[in-house]
Amino acid sequence: MPPVTATLIWTLVVLVAIGLYLSWTAGRLDRLHARIDAARAALDAQLLRRASVAQELATSKVLDPAASIVLYEAAHAARQAEEEQREVAESDLSQALRAVFADARQLDVVREAPGGDAAARELTEAVRRVPMARRFHNDAVGAVRRLREHRKVRWFRLAGHAPFPMAFEMDDEPPPALADRAA
C-alpha cells in the first residue's frame, strides 16, 4: 500500500470520527432543546394552575372584599399577560398571594368555608409546584447555555436556528402560611 493511500485512509478516518462527534453533539443539543420545551410546558401549566386556583378562590366570596380584589386582579393579569410581561405578572401574583395570606388566620377562614379545605390544599400544592417547575426549566436552560458556549457548537453552528434559551426569572416565594402547610 503506497504511503499516500495510508495517509488518505487515516485522514478519512479522522474526518469520520470528527463528523460522528459533531453529529452526537448536535443530537445532544437537540435533546436538550426538547427538554427545555417540555420543562417550559410544565412551568406554564403550573403557573396557569396557580393563577386559576387563586382566581377561583378570589371569586368564592370566602375572602374579604379587598383581598378578593387584589388576588383576582393579580391572577387575571397573570393569566392574560403577554410573553414579554409574564415574569412580572407572575411575580405580582406571588406578592398578592403573600399579601393576602400574610396572616395564617386568613387560610383558616378559607378552610372553614364549605369546600375550603380542598381549595386550600389545591392552592398549597399549586404554590409549592411553581418553584419546582421553574427550577427544572432554568436547569435545562443552563445546560443548553453551557453547551452552546462551546467553540465547536458556535463554529459549526450546531444549534441551527434555535433561539438562545432564556431563564424564567420571577418571584415565586410562597406565603409563609402556605409554605408551612406544604412541608
Side-chain angles (χ1 to χ4, degrees):
M1 196 191 244
V4 173
T5 307
T7 304
L8 286 176
I9 290 174
W10 281 110
T11 303
L12 184 62
V13 167
V14 168
L15 287 176
V16 167
I18 290 172
L20 287 172
Y21 177 71
L22 290 175
S23 175
W24 175 81
T25 303
R28 179 171 172 235
L29 191 58
D30 186 51
R31 288 188 302 277
L32 287 172
H33 276 285
R35 192 172 115 198
I36 285 178
D37 292 341
R40 182 57 188 240
L43 175 61
D44 287 341
Q46 293 306 322
L47 292 172
L48 181 62
R49 180 172 182 237
R50 181 180 77 152
S52 297
V53 170
Q55 204 169 21
E56 185 178 315
L57 188 61
T59 59
S60 68
K61 298 183 181 176
V62 173
L63 303 172
D64 64 271
S68 292
I69 290 171
V70 167
L71 195 56
Y72 180 82
E73 286 181 354
H76 181 71
R79 289 183 70 176
Q80 300 298 320
E82 295 292 326
E83 192 61 35
E84 302 82 36
Q85 298 298 318
R86 184 97 187 265
E87 293 172 351
V88 174
E90 294 294 346
S91 293
D92 290 345
L93 177 56
S94 295
Q95 292 170 2
L97 284 166
R98 280 197 306 272
V100 169
F101 294 105
D103 186 7
R105 290 176 292 188
Q106 185 77 302
L107 191 60
D108 294 334
V109 169
V110 170
R111 287 186 176 277
E112 291 169 2
D117 196 39
R121 187 172 40 257
E122 191 173 355
L123 181 63
T124 300
E125 289 175 10
V127 166
R128 182 178 51 88
R129 288 180 179 170
V130 166
M132 289 189 305
R134 188 175 72 85
R135 194 172 314 117
F136 288 141
H137 175 267
N138 288 349
D139 287 348
V141 167
V144 169
R145 284 181 163 188
R146 284 188 297 278
L147 185 57
R148 285 183 70 164
E149 287 173 357
H150 289 223
R151 274 186 243 139
K152 66 180 176 257
V153 173
R154 289 192 321 258
W155 288 352
F156 292 102
R157 297 192 174 132
L158 299 180
H161 297 288
F164 196 74
M166 301 301 291
F168 194 87
E169 297 300 332
M170 64 171 270
D171 173 11
D172 59 5
E173 183 180 335
L178 295 176
D180 292 343
R181 307 229 190 237

